[in-house]
Amino acid sequence: MPDQVINEIREALVLARSQFEYLSDLGIETQTTEFHDGSKNHPCIGTYSALQETLDTIRTDLGDCQRCGLAASRTKLVFGVGNPNARLVLVGEAPGREEDLKGEPFVGEAGQLLDRILLAMGMQREDVYLCNVLKCRPPDNRDPNPDEVATCEPFLVRQLAVIRPQVIVGLGRFAVHSLLKTKTPISRLRGEWQRYQGIPLMPTYHPAYLLRNPEAKRDVWEDMKEVLRMLNAEGGG
Ligand code: URA
Ligand code: URA
């Protein structure tokens, strides 16, 4: 990694520590056990009523999904990972090669950069929830097809409805365009608060884009500071 980047991360960390220390326990909440036990033991589970749905029921519903053509080429379905009570959800595009092999989102090079961005925000990936618009890898990382999005997006909608985070971050053009149903360039959308189902959504660049365009890291850090401000304004719990 270039020294300049390491210095930027170091600076960001110092800033994060001093200004946002109170956020370090973000997402460690008291209701996890209650929420899960209550839901699991409920006799109505499986009816997908909005009240009883959990991330587990959505995952179960996906099952060994064969709803679109990506099933044939995927290794593992990549559902999502993190804190089911997260105050912050970050949504990416689709699994890449590493994610497809591991069954976990953002574990490749872009994911490692995302981990560092989270760290600079005073967070760990366990504190937030990470998922993608598509749950399966498009071959050769091609852009997702509209029919694949149409088939898969309802599961993302359900994930976000169950978690109901205080803030959503849309990572990159594809996720932001899918979530907001717009074609406005990401360069114009980023940094400005949008709403998704009433939840504040911050569009920003994708970490894979940052790997190719390190100068854009400054913009992403500005966007993440806005996210921290919003989380702070929304309060804990
Ligand atoms: N890029 C994404 O958009 N999502 C991942 O999970 C990995 C890379
Ligand atoms: N283009 C993309 O697809 N994503 C970005 O984050 C930036 C440019």
Side-chain angles (χ1 to χ4, degrees):
M1 200 190 299
D3 282 346
Q4 192 208 338
V5 175
I6 292 172
N7 281 337
E8 269 176 36
I9 292 167
R10 200 167 280 145
E11 270 171 40
L13 265 172
V14 169
L15 186 66
R17 285 228 178 88
S18 61
Q19 291 188 322
F20 307 115
E21 209 162 5
Y22 61 93
L23 278 167
S24 64
D25 64 346
L26 183 115
I28 301 167
E29 295 179 7
T30 53
Q31 287 186 343
T32 313
T33 321
E34 219 177 278
F35 181 75
H36 266 288
D37 287 359
S39 309
K40 270 192 185 125
N41 294 339
H42 198 281
C44 295
I45 204 74
T47 60
Y48 300 111
S49 93
L51 283 175
Q52 302 310 328
E53 180 148 270
T54 67
L55 291 173
D56 285 346
T57 64
I58 301 168
R59 179 66 191 86
T60 302
D61 192 19
L62 267 167
D64 181 30
C65 186
Q66 305 289 327
R67 293 171 181 81
C68 85
L70 296 179
S73 54
R74 73 155 182 257
T75 311
K76 286 189 176 160
L77 187 150
V78 179
F79 179 64
V81 74
N83 183 342
N85 295 319
R87 297 172 61 205
L88 175 62
V89 175
L90 299 101
V91 181
E93 174 172 332
R97 197 176 68 90
E98 313 282 334
E99 290 78 20
D100 172 72
L101 292 172
K102 204 164 174 211
E104 193 177 321
F106 289 105
V107 291
E109 208 183 343
Q112 286 161 27
L113 176 54
L114 183 60
D115 283 343
R116 293 198 289 275
I117 292 169
L118 289 173
L119 195 62
M121 297 170 78
M123 299 180 207
Q124 312 258 333
R125 61 196 272 137
E126 293 78 16
D127 301 326
V128 302
Y129 192 83
L130 302 172
C131 57
N132 289 302
V133 176
L134 285 197
K135 306 298 185 236
C136 297
R137 182 194 183 202
D140 302 320
N141 297 348
R142 66 156 166 76
D143 274 0
N145 291 331
D147 67 301
E148 292 157 357
V149 177
T151 309
C152 209
E153 200 178 18
F155 295 96
L156 171 65
V157 172
R158 286 165 60 182
Q159 283 172 299
L160 291 170
V162 164
I163 300 171
R164 267 182 293 107
Q166 286 172 351
V167 175
I168 297 169
V169 169
L171 294 169
R173 171 181 59 88
F174 189 85
V176 171
H177 286 182
S178 298
L179 287 163
L180 298 179
K181 308 296 173 213
T182 177
K183 295 229 181 280
T184 306
I186 183 76
S187 56
R188 275 185 39 211
L189 288 169
R190 69 142 282 273
E192 301 285 336
W193 285 108
Q194 310 288 326
R195 290 227 164 226
Y196 175 87
Q197 307 278 326
I199 302 169
L201 182 147
M202 177 56 76
T204 197
Y205 293 128
H206 194 286
Y209 175 79
L210 297 183
L211 292 172
R212 301 188 302 270
N213 302 273
E215 71 283 356
K217 284 179 183 167
R218 214 164 282 278
D219 286 339
V220 170
W221 181 239
E222 288 306 313
D223 301 347
M224 293 305 106
K225 283 195 286 190
E226 268 304 312
V227 167
L228 288 171
R229 266 183 224 116
M230 181 65 86
L231 286 169
N232 184 32
E234 298 272 318

